[in-house]
Amino acid sequence: MKEARHITAPFDEATVRSLKAGDRVLLSGVICTGRDAAHKRFNDLLNAGKPLPVELRDQVIYFVGPCPAPPGKPIGSAGPTTSGRMDGWSPRLIAECGLRGMIGKGSRNAAVIEAMKKHGAVYFAATGGAGALIARCIRKCEAAAFPELGPEAVYRLEIKDFPLVVAIDAAGDSLYK
Amino acid sequence: MRTIEYKTIVEAAAALCGKAAFDLPDDVLAKLGECANAEQSELGIDFFNQYLENAKIASSEHMPLCQDTGFAVWFVSMGRDVVLDRGLIQDALNEGTAIGYKKFFLRKSIVSDPLFDRKNTFDNTPAIVHLVQTDGDRIKLTLAPKGGGSENMSALRMLKPSEGRAGVVKFVVDSVISAGGNPCPPTVVGVGIGGTMEMTSELAKRALLRNLGEPNPDPRYAELEQEILAKINASGVGPQGLGGAITSLAVHIEFHPCHLASLPVAVNLNCHAARHAEVTL
């Protein structure tokens, strides 16, 4: 099997365009989290013409609702949630906010893939059901927005060698059948 | 008549919340080990090795196997010769759930109102309790924490009796394949056949509690389990939906008599982190 590529987030369009479906990636750097409730709030803020509480340009969003951090650890288990639930919101974040990458599990719809092709964004699959393993790659976690949402809040994560697979690339090629 | 203290139920329930979240049952671990050797896809083999590593970390560091520590679904068998010293068993289980989810740093995933408020209850209650009365003076508690991602891929259909065996096979196989990577394959497929609309769903969920791969005692249903499993795995959906030979680890069918006009079938999926824990008090 081909060696995994080491990539650091945030990253630019050229990096996105160099990633091909099937590539294994070890992602380091800084990413933010967000799932159903946070995406709805992002959308409401955009509708109201207000700024988002986090910068999304060239950033990666990880669809995750982590467990609370036990004593001595920065975060609890933190595996991906089903990405399809974010399909209604992702195209707008890619087109209007410059979102470059998404991490989740399961396939995406045609509108998301179209936006990824047009604006240059990549979709990574993390290993669903491996939350304890993934938590080891998260070095720091701090609340970035909407703390009242509990596990659905937006967190800023510092990660090191998070194992991912490019599931859908910016040319629209997909590993899902 | 034996009396058992309410607080004994609360404490046992709280402890099971941690055990179910951290310790993958031995039958599931053994199956994942077999699959790591049997899978053909390179990505798939990598995933199986990650699942095994994840289970080791979860158990040794008391980190949940999956961050979705689920809806607390309790199956309770209560002997007719045992009583609680006070209160109701469902209250004790709710109390134990709240204590366990807090004590073990598990995720609180329940929202108070499904449609309008959707506010987190922040203690993972209410739990769901299925209670049956049995002979004897013991209480058996089984906790099957149910994650949202796999539960969302459930399916129910009231088939026409004339659709028969072939109709059941097609409905179950199509349901699992169309779920794709969403329920974190490889999955365990629980199938309910017969009963009524609500009962066939409960049968599908109960089927997930069976030891992995243990066949239905009725050879006709055991053969059906094997046929459905082979068809699902021929689909190539694979681990995480990214291609491979192993989409499901097992198919478990439970059946019940049904109305002469009906053939209800339900599908309930568990991901590879097929969690359940039990205790007899």
Side-chain angles (χ1 to χ4, degrees):
Chain A
M1 188 158 51
K2 234 170 71 177
E3 279 294 295
R5 279 183 63 183
H6 288 263
I7 303 223
T8 302
F11 46 70
D12 59 14
E13 184 172 358
T15 305
V16 166
R17 301 269 178 206
S18 75
L19 293 166
K20 300 296 166 213
D23 287 354
R24 289 188 311 140
V25 166
L26 292 169
L27 187 67
S28 299
V30 176
I31 61 176
C32 75
T33 73
R35 47 178 293 159
D36 311 53
H39 275 74
K40 182 175 185 307
R41 292 207 187 180
F42 285 160
N43 194 56
D44 291 345
L45 287 167
L46 291 172
N47 283 343
K50 291 184 180 158
L52 299 189
V54 287
E55 173 62 55
L56 292 185
R57 185 152 305 279
D58 290 339
Q59 304 291 317
V60 177
I61 288 189
Y62 179 20
F63 305 140
V64 60
C67 281
K73 292 190 193 288
I75 196 167
S77 277
T81 195
T82 308
S83 308
R85 294 198 314 274
M86 269 53 80
D87 282 356
W89 292 301
S90 293
R92 189 170 191 188
L93 299 184
I94 294 167
E96 293 180 31
C97 306
L99 181 68
R100 273 299 163 221
M102 296 160 287
I103 303 172
K105 67 172 166 109
S107 61
R108 310 304 305 272
N109 72 12
V112 176
I113 296 173
E114 210 37 56
M116 288 168 57
K117 284 162 71 174
K118 187 169 174 195
H119 301 281
V122 63
Y123 172 60
F124 299 106
T127 308
L133 181 77
I134 292 170
R136 278 200 172 173
C137 308
I138 299 170
R139 300 299 159 89
K140 197 172 162 191
C141 168
E142 56 192 31
F146 319 136
E148 66 280 8
L149 294 178
E152 294 209 74
V154 174
Y155 297 96
R156 178 183 175 279
L157 305 181
E158 283 183 28
I159 55 170
K160 174 76 179 161
D161 294 339
F162 183 175
L164 302 170
V165 177
V166 176
I168 307 175
D169 64 28
D173 288 327
S174 169
L175 295 187
Y176 300 102
K177 294 181 178 171
Chain B
M1 185 64 75
R2 175 173 170 250
T3 299
I4 191 162
E5 284 185 67
Y6 180 91
K7 77 164 200 265
T8 305
I9 306 286
V10 173
E11 285 165 5
L16 281 185
C17 293
K19 184 173 164 48
F22 303 142
D23 298 331
L24 199 58
D26 288 341
D27 53 321
V28 183
L29 265 178
K31 187 73 184 176
L32 291 178
E34 273 173 42
C35 291
N37 295 318
E39 178 56 65
Q40 302 295 311
S41 128
E42 287 188 326
L43 275 178
I45 294 166
D46 199 26
F47 285 131
F48 278 108
N49 288 327
Q50 288 188 43
Y51 303 152
L52 290 166
E53 178 70 14
N54 184 64
K56 257 191 228 163
I57 296 169
S59 171
S60 65
E61 298 185 17
H62 278 197
M63 287 280 276
L65 288 152
C66 173
Q67 75 292 336
D68 187 349
T69 45
F71 216 135
V73 181
W74 294 96
F75 292 91
V76 182
S77 310
M78 188 157 181
R80 62 179 184 165
D81 299 322
V82 58
V83 289
L84 298 192
D85 65 342
R86 66 180 177 87
L88 302 176
I89 191 151
Q90 54 266 41
D91 292 343
L93 292 171
N94 272 310
E95 216 173 305
T97 299
I99 292 170
Y101 273 69
K102 181 159 190 265
K103 178 177 175 188
F104 297 110
F105 298 92
L106 310 184
R107 199 180 83 185
K108 288 74 177 177
S109 307
I110 306 305
V111 293
S112 59
D113 174 280
L115 186 57
F116 298 106
D117 303 333
R118 293 194 72 84
K119 285 218 172 84
N120 200 306
T121 63
F122 285 107
D123 65 1
N124 220 56
T125 68
I128 288 179
V129 179
H130 299 283
L131 177 62
V132 293
Q133 193 173 33
T134 54
D135 280 325
D137 64 357
R138 300 283 146 184
I139 297 176
K140 183 177 169 195
L141 305 177
T142 303
L143 172 62
K146 197 63 179 72
S150 56
E151 188 73 1
N152 284 346
M153 297 298 115
S154 305
L156 169 74
R157 184 161 303 166
M158 307 304 281
L159 296 180
K160 292 180 194 138
S162 63
E163 292 179 85
R165 190 182 193 281
V168 171
V169 171
K170 183 172 184 338
F171 172 62
V172 177
V173 171
D174 288 352
S175 298
V176 177
I177 292 175
S178 69
N182 293 349
C184 289
T187 48
V188 182
V189 184
V191 181
I193 304 178
T196 49
M197 177 270 274
E198 85 286 3
M199 187 180 196
T200 199
S201 300
E202 190 183 326
L203 288 173
K205 182 148 275 142
R206 280 185 187 275
L208 297 174
L209 301 177
R210 201 193 298 163
N211 268 341
L212 201 54
E214 189 183 300
N216 189 294
D218 183 321
R220 296 168 303 171
Y221 285 94
E223 193 195 328
L224 192 57
E225 290 173 341
Q226 287 309 312
E227 181 183 332
I228 292 172
L229 180 63
K231 287 207 159 102
I232 290 168
N233 284 338
S235 70
V237 169
Q240 300 297 322
L242 297 178
I246 304 171
T247 304
S248 293
L249 301 171
V251 174
H252 295 169
I253 298 174
E254 295 292 329
F255 63 93
H256 193 83
C258 71
H259 191 282
L260 53 83
S262 305
L263 177 53
V265 184
V267 178
N268 195 212
L269 301 176
N270 244 353
C271 71
H272 56 86
R275 299 164 292 188
H276 47 93
E278 61 183 53
V279 68
T280 299
L281 301 167

